[in-house]
Amino acid sequence: MPATSMRSPHPQLLQVHDTPMECETILRSVMKKASGPQKPRRHIRFNETVTVRAIIHIDDMPDEEIEAIWFHKQDFQEMKAAFIPTVRMISRGEYMGDNEHHCARGLEYRHKAGAQKRKLNKLNALCAVLDEQERQRTEGFCDDRLIAAAFIHSNRHSRHDAILMGMRDAEEVLREEADTNQCQMDMEYEEEEGTRGTE
């Protein structure tokens, strides 16, 4: 029966198997899946016409310009005060989705449940790395690729969540583009109809 790490708060995510060979085989498999198929090497090409845009260094900026460009402590306090109502809605389970007044983007870990989830994710990843380092020290070898694979395996659910979030963002952008295009087409049609009516 496989033993589990005592440090891990979720041993089902961080199993240490009976034999080093079994554990190494699983981790190598995870690492291979994570790396995916080899992609063709990318190349960088530069345009024949190169345009250089000079950016003024902060030391050469007048104080008035720095004041106008950089955020200040007061700005951050105002931002935080602005999203507190949204965070409270999320915490109470009252959030019904983004609208013109509330947006939960970037606030996933600002409420209590989200913060606990993030802390647990970090702890699981840390334990996975420490467990693999300890195993390698016990067996007398060192393979940083297996350590990386253990880390990748421990946070696979976070990558899955990020992919889903990215897909939702893409769908929202496509919907907004479709709405914008439809609105533009409607306006052009109305202008064309108005022109015909005056002829």
Side-chain angles (χ1 to χ4, degrees):
M1 182 174 180
T4 57
S5 167
M6 296 302 294
R7 284 197 303 269
S8 171
H10 285 274
Q12 67 273 20
L13 297 179
L14 306 171
Q15 291 184 341
V16 179
H17 295 264
D18 286 334
T19 64
M21 184 63 69
E22 183 182 4
C23 185
E24 185 171 343
T25 301
I26 290 174
L27 285 172
R28 286 190 185 279
S29 174
V30 169
M31 186 171 64
K32 185 175 181 181
K33 289 179 181 178
S35 61
Q38 293 296 322
K39 296 181 180 179
R41 188 169 184 177
R42 295 183 177 183
H43 300 279
I44 298 175
R45 290 181 295 181
F46 293 94
N47 198 324
E48 294 179 2
T49 304
V50 178
T51 302
V52 178
R53 181 179 178 185
I55 305 296
I56 187 171
H57 193 276
I58 186 172
D59 292 341
D60 300 323
M61 285 184 178
D63 292 340
E64 298 80 12
E65 189 169 356
I66 295 175
E67 185 77 15
I69 293 176
W70 261 261
F71 285 121
H72 300 280
K73 185 176 182 179
Q74 179 65 28
D75 297 319
F76 288 110
Q77 289 174 343
E78 291 174 0
M79 292 178 199
K80 185 175 182 180
F83 67 64
I84 284 176
T86 305
V87 172
R88 287 177 177 165
M89 290 174 65
I90 296 172
S91 298
R92 293 194 297 257
E94 300 172 357
Y95 191 74
M96 303 302 292
D98 295 349
N99 55 43
E100 58 182 296
H101 301 294
H102 298 281
C103 178
R105 199 66 168 100
L107 304 178
E108 294 84 3
Y109 301 110
R110 290 285 184 171
H111 52 91
K112 186 175 181 180
Q116 289 176 341
K117 180 180 179 182
R118 185 179 201 178
K119 184 176 181 180
L120 189 60
N121 288 342
K122 291 181 178 181
L123 184 58
N124 276 330
L126 175 63
C127 288
V129 170
L130 293 177
D131 286 344
E132 177 58 21
Q133 288 177 333
E134 182 179 348
R135 186 184 75 85
Q136 291 186 18
R137 278 194 295 268
T138 301
E139 298 299 320
F141 75 99
C142 180
D143 190 335
D144 55 357
R145 295 172 303 168
L146 293 179
I147 296 173
F151 175 81
I152 290 171
H153 182 68
S154 71
N155 62 29
R156 63 196 182 281
H157 56 284
S158 297
R159 293 195 307 277
H160 180 260
D161 291 345
I163 290 170
L164 291 179
M165 189 176 296
M167 291 172 64
R168 286 195 295 267
D169 287 348
E171 289 175 359
E172 185 174 345
V173 169
L174 290 174
R175 279 197 304 270
E176 289 181 358
E177 286 183 351
D179 291 343
T180 301
N181 292 337
Q182 185 61 50
C183 183
Q184 184 66 32
M185 290 172 61
D186 292 343
M187 291 174 61
E188 291 174 358
Y189 176 77
E190 289 175 3
E191 289 177 1
E192 186 177 338
E193 288 296 307
T195 304
R196 288 179 182 174
T198 57
E199 292 177 355

